[in-house]
Every structure is written in C-alpha cells, then in structure tokens.
Amino acid sequence: MNKKTEKPSAATEEKKEASKKSTTRPRTKVKITEVPKKRDLSKPLVLYVAAEVNPFSQTGGLGEVASSLPVAVNEIGGAEMAVVTPLYECVAEKYRKDFEFICHINVPVAWRSQYAGLFRYVYRGVTHYFIDNEYYFKREKLYGYFDDAERFAFFTRAVLELMPYMDFKPNILHVNDWHTALVPIYYKLYYMYREEYADIKTIVTIHNIEYQGKYDGNLLEDVFGISGFQYFTLEWGGCVNLLFGSIAYSDMVSTVSETYAEELKTREHACGLQDAINRFSDKLTGIVNGIDTEVYNPATAPALFAHYDAKDPSKKTENKLGLQKMLGLPERADVPMITMVSRLASHKGLDILKSAMPNIIKEDVQFVLLGTGEAEYEGYFADLQNAYPDKARALIMFNKDMSQRLFAAGDIYMMPSRSEPCGLGQMMAMRYGTIPIVRNVGGLNDTVREGEGGNGFIATEYSGESLYAATKRAIDLYADKEKWSALVSRAMNEDFSWSVSARKYIDLYYKLLKK
Ligand code: GLC
C-alpha cells in the first residue's frame, strides 16, 4: 500500500488532536493491564532448594533429607513440594536419560553472565528441577573447590531467575545450609518487589552450623553481585557470612532436632553464631528428621545378605556372618559386632573413640568402620586393622551398599558425636536392630534413651572413659540373650519414618504463609 495515501488510524488522529488541545499535560491513552493475580496462599507450595539430593547426588545427611522429606509431605498432602538442585556430573545416566529439557537462559553472577539450563524430572511423586551449567557443575566432587562461593552464587541466582519458567509456582522457598543461603537474601534484595515474585515466604534449615559459608568482604560485589552498602546486613565476625545472612533475611529458621535448636543458642555448639541465633530466636524451630523407611528397610534392602523384620529378626545373624566372610573376619555368630558408618571428622567423636579403643578392642568384639575423611583418622583406623586383623576392619570409602550391610550386620552401632544436629545413622541402625551407643547431644538426645524401656546406650561425658563404660554396658547386656533381644525388638519397633516430622513441617509451612 502506498504510504502517502494510507488513511491515518483513529489512534494517530486522536494523538494529534490531544497534542493540539493540551498544552500543559499530554493526554495519553492508558492501557489498563490485568491486575496480577495474588499468589494462592491457601496451601503451601514449597520449592525445596538443596545442594544435594539422594539418589542424584549425595555426600551426607542433607542429601537424605532432601530426598525423603518432600516424598513424605507429598504423600501426606495438605502441602506440595518440588525440589531444585544442581545438575552435577555424578547424576546417573539412568535418570538423566528421562530428563525433560525446559529452557535455558543467561543468569547474572555479579558482572558475569552465565548459561543456565533447566531440566525437569519427576521421581517418587516429587518434581525435581535440575539446573545445568557444565562450567560450574561438571566436576568430580560436589563441593570443595576454590570457587564454591561463585558456584553457589550462580546456582541460587539461577533458581530465582528460572522460577518463572517452572511449572510449579511456589509460595514458599525452603533453603538448606550455606550453599543455598543466598536465595532468601537475593529474594528480599532484588525479587520480592517484582510482580511475578510477589508473596513468597522464605525459610532456611540449618543442618549443621559448622559450615557457614564465610567469605572475604571483597567477594560481596565481585562474586555475589550485592552492593557494598549491604555489607552490614551480611557481616558476622568480620566477614560475609552467608548462613548468618540467611538467618537474618529469612522469615523462619528451622533446624533438625529440638535439642539442637536449644544448643544453637550456646557457645559450645553454635560455632560463633550463638548471638545471632539468640537475636532471631523467635524465628527458630527444631524438628527432628525422619529416615526413608522404604530405602532403609531390612525386609527389602537389596544389598543385604538376608532379609528380616521386627516381627522375626532371626535372619539378622546371617548378615553378620555374611559380612565377616566378605571381610575375612572370623565367622562367629556369638561375637558382638560393633559397626560404624561415619564421616571421619573429629566432631563425630573420633578423638574419644580413639582413646576408648584400646579398652574396647581388648574385649571379645569385632569392630568394622566405613567412612572417609581426615587423614589422621583414616590412618588411625587402617593401623587398627593391621594391629588387630582378627577383630578390626577399616573400610576407607563411602559406599551405600556397604553401609546397608554394616547397619544390618552389627549388634552395636558406634556414634559418639561431640555435636550432632540430628544424626540419621542411629535411626537407620535401630531400624536394622543394631543398638546405638551415642552421646546425649542434638538429635541423638531426642532419639536414643538408655535404661528401662530404652533403645540404646549413652555416654554422658565427652571422654574415652565414659564411652568405654557405655560400650562395656552394651557388651555385658549382649551376653544376656533375652534382655538383648527385647532391646533389639524395642529399637526395631520405633517409628523413625517421616510421618510425624513431615506433618510438623506442614504445620510450620502453614504458619509461615500467615507471617
Ligand atoms: C547434617 C548433620 C546431621 C543431620 C543431617 C541431616 O549432616 O550433621 O546431624 O542428620 O545434616 O539434617
């Protein structure tokens, strides 16, 4: 069409008229856009942000909880959870091949602009979103790199940037530990004012306060992309402390047992954050973790030598004999076997175990350890095996099948932690009829009782003597077959499933929505 002869549209005419008429204020036609719908706050829709999720990636208890809490909540109903986590190199092909690619965008990491791909996969009734960036996550390990601050700045920023592309519209962001601590911080600083992000509540769970994400103030602008003016809101102890930041910025804070929630207020357990915890104590709740009773089930776990349950635990012994054979230990059903699955870090009580060990190993026992960690302890347990080839084995590795075998084969489970936010091993052991020896701290205190009607043994002092005394009580009781089997039966009948705790989380989410 000839431009010149084109009839001016009504709008252009109107504009011309308007500009002619008004000399003071131009009268433009305002397009009335649809008022954004309020986010549905009647039911918690929780996006659970975790740096590790079993079975896709796992180094410890966080990965267990991230895989089992959402399954339990979705089964119970009343709230709905989805999970978002990095797409690490270790995610197995058998899952990856069924991932659905959603989109990719570029995400700001301070002055950088980084690729972020989004994948979706439904596993055990829970939608999992995976965030892909090979530069940050195609590495051998999950953590422990020089640029972890930048890797998790990227991940947390990507979670927020990719949220509008997810088919799950959360009204709660639930983050865990320091790796994901930036989510509530970024949310409050940059996102909450944006229409598509309105009305979202935030909660952080502290799984272990030892790891806080402490960084030099120089990283604030250069890596986290946060203005230096915010330094005072994120500073604790003279540096940027991401866990502290998440406590300050989140609407609620939870931790993984009631006792630990109290301990966090003290100097002894809070690793320098006690004053911060006390300052925000009105936001803090403790809920003890559950375990995945489907995965940790002595009646079905594929790695076991024989299956059994609380009603008939007689085949438990076959697991002891099977492990002894596998490890070349004397095959004796009657010897009390002490097993231990642990990260080899001193706060797991390895220093007191080391001082109790000369006495323990003199008893008629077998001791089998599985775990990796600090070189000092890897060496110590290897030496123990060399010194007592008929009594001790040190399996310096992490292997899920072996851990299941140790839970099933043991009579006694060693877990003398100095500090233990929740601890899952003691609950897994009890489910397998293996009686824990623990210290009365954190979640161990909330799950293990000694004495009449008890389910374990407690070392009340943090000392080798106290630990040996508790071990001796266990060994002596083991000799009384009747009493021991009553103890085993009590331990196996404990309900450590998520059913109670997941309901507590659901209640907490409802409270959070009302905040
Ligand atoms: C951390 C804690 C452990 C807890 C787990 C899951 O690994 O050290 O006690 O059970 O997180 O919350």
Side-chain angles (χ1 to χ4, degrees), residues 293-477:
T293 46
E294 250 176 68
V295 174
Y296 294 93
N297 184 353
T300 54
L304 302 197
F305 294 102
H307 291 127
Y308 58 99
D309 59 20
K311 269 187 231 124
D312 178 13
S314 55
K315 289 232 172 87
K316 180 169 166 58
T317 316
E318 286 183 33
N319 287 289
K320 175 154 61 176
L321 294 167
L323 189 70
Q324 288 167 336
K325 188 169 183 188
M326 191 177 189
L327 302 180
L329 282 166
E331 289 167 49
R332 288 176 52 196
D334 65 318
V335 65
M337 180 185 272
I338 304 172
T339 57
M340 178 168 191
V341 180
S342 180
R343 245 179 326 116
L344 302 184
S346 74
H347 74 260
K348 292 288 178 189
L350 299 179
D351 44 357
I352 63 166
L353 180 59
K354 204 169 144 180
S355 75
M357 193 51 93
N359 284 325
I360 296 176
I361 209 76
K362 267 190 225 136
E363 303 281 339
D364 185 22
V365 291
Q366 290 181 351
F367 175 80
V368 183
L369 166 116
L370 173 72
T372 58
E374 291 166 19
E376 177 195 343
Y377 293 109
E378 291 191 354
Y380 168 74
F381 288 112
D383 288 349
L384 188 74
Q385 165 172 326
N386 290 337
Y388 298 92
D390 283 349
K391 286 187 160 185
R393 284 293 174 275
L395 310 172
I396 306 299
M397 57 175 174
F398 182 73
N399 177 304
K400 289 228 123 199
D401 286 351
M402 272 318 266
S403 75
Q404 291 255 6
R405 290 187 195 114
L406 261 64
F407 286 129
D411 298 295
I412 298 167
Y413 185 75
M414 187 57 82
M415 195 166 178
S417 310
R418 185 167 56 217
S419 174
E420 193 60 78
C422 175
L424 302 170
Q426 82 281 14
M427 294 190 265
M428 292 166 182
M430 282 189 263
R431 178 146 170 82
Y432 284 70
T434 304
I435 306 303
I437 298 178
V438 302
R439 287 203 57 254
N440 47 342
V441 290
L444 299 174
N445 187 51
D446 295 353
T447 52
V448 180
R449 308 172 307 276
E450 180 168 351
E452 194 62 31
N455 54 13
F457 297 90
I458 292 170
T460 45
E461 300 290 318
Y462 192 71
S463 69
E465 293 82 53
S466 181
L467 181 59
Y468 171 60
T471 313
K472 185 79 176 105
R473 291 197 295 282
I475 295 169
D476 289 347
L477 198 80

Side-chain angles (χ1 to χ4, degrees), residues 208-221:
N208 195 335
I209 204 152
E210 274 198 41
Y211 309 102
Q212 300 176 2
K214 294 184 193 173
Y215 292 102
D216 190 282
N218 291 334
L219 269 65
L220 193 61
E221 294 197 347

Side-chain angles (χ1 to χ4, degrees), residues 115-127:
Y115 170 95
L118 182 66
F119 288 85
R120 180 179 179 278
Y121 181 63
V122 179
Y123 183 71
R124 296 178 72 190
V126 178
T127 299

Side-chain angles (χ1 to χ4, degrees), residues 44 55 68 75 97 105 111 144 165 217 238 253 268 284 296 329 380 443:
S68 49
E75 268 171 16
K97 69 178 180 21
I105 60 169
W111 47 267
Y165 301 90
V253 179
E268 196 188 339
L284 178 68
Y296 294 93
L329 282 166
Y380 168 74

